[in-house]
Amino acid sequence: RGKARDKFEFLQPKLAVTIRELVRAMNDKPHIVHFSGHGASEGIYITTDNNQPKLMPTEALQSLFKQLQGITRIVVLNACYSAEQAKTISAFGMYVVGNKLKITDAAAISFSIGFYNGLGEGKSFENSFTDAITVVLCDNPAAAGMIEVWLDGVQLNPKAF
């Protein structure tokens, strides 16, 4: 609905992805990657061919995103305990959003609504992130302090945006 919506090409969402589907999807060279699912301090959960959860370790995420250095600009890890993965992926020059603790589905959705509204209006990453935190502060205030943003392996201070 935003003024800048035509600047984006949306790829078909991939649901309950296996590692092969995820690697194949990255061949589309996306500028923005949004992962919505479950996470742990050791990685994020994808699925097996039998639709069972499988941990994709941080090292595998590092290998996956290294190939997208200079291509992917933003990664949103809308998953619990994904801050370590955010830090690791951000080392490739991407803004990466992660959560240092468990985050509720409602808070993750609030973040996404605010963030993509900002991007859809043509705002910068920083201003879109600020929009997202504003929505979270209103809808799910306890979650606002859990959401982190990383760039170049360094945690950024969103209050400085």
Side-chain angles (χ1 to χ4, degrees):
R1 293 173 27 184
K3 296 172 195 157
R5 70 181 173 268
D6 293 335
K7 292 182 180 180
F8 295 93
E9 174 188 353
F10 294 93
L11 304 175
Q12 289 298 313
K14 308 295 183 196
L15 306 174
V17 296
T18 64
I19 187 57
R20 285 168 289 292
E21 292 167 331
L22 185 56
V23 168
R24 193 174 307 118
M26 294 304 175
N27 289 332
D28 289 333
K29 298 183 169 121
H31 294 285
I32 300 172
V33 174
H34 185 112
F35 173 82
S36 180
H38 297 285
S41 57
E42 303 85 19
I44 61 171
Y45 284 94
I46 55 175
T47 191
T48 65
D49 291 333
N50 297 325
N51 203 28
Q52 296 299 310
K54 177 182 180 109
L55 185 72
M56 182 176 183
T58 303
E59 184 179 9
L61 285 164
Q62 182 179 26
S63 176
L64 181 70
F65 282 96
K66 182 178 183 181
Q67 300 175 63
L68 296 169
Q69 189 170 10
I71 298 166
T72 299
R73 297 183 198 127
I74 299 170
V75 178
V76 177
L77 299 175
N78 229 344
C80 300
Y81 308 109
S82 56
E84 187 61 35
Q85 292 77 42
K87 176 183 178 183
T88 299
I89 295 167
S90 76
F92 300 115
M94 304 166 192
Y95 283 104
V96 187
V97 177
N99 301 296
K100 64 182 174 185
L101 298 171
K102 184 176 181 179
I103 190 162
T104 65
D105 290 346
I109 291 167
S110 292
F111 177 86
S112 297
I113 289 168
F115 185 68
Y116 291 110
N117 279 338
L119 287 181
E121 290 297 329
K123 292 183 177 183
S124 67
F125 171 86
E126 293 88 350
N127 289 336
S128 297
F129 185 88
T130 299
D131 285 356
I133 294 299
T134 301
V135 174
V136 172
L137 283 167
C138 288
D139 292 349
N140 302 278
M146 296 178 209
I147 304 167
E148 299 180 349
V149 60
W150 294 78
L151 178 64
D152 297 326
V154 176
Q155 184 180 358
L156 303 180
N157 179 2
K159 294 180 181 181
F161 292 165

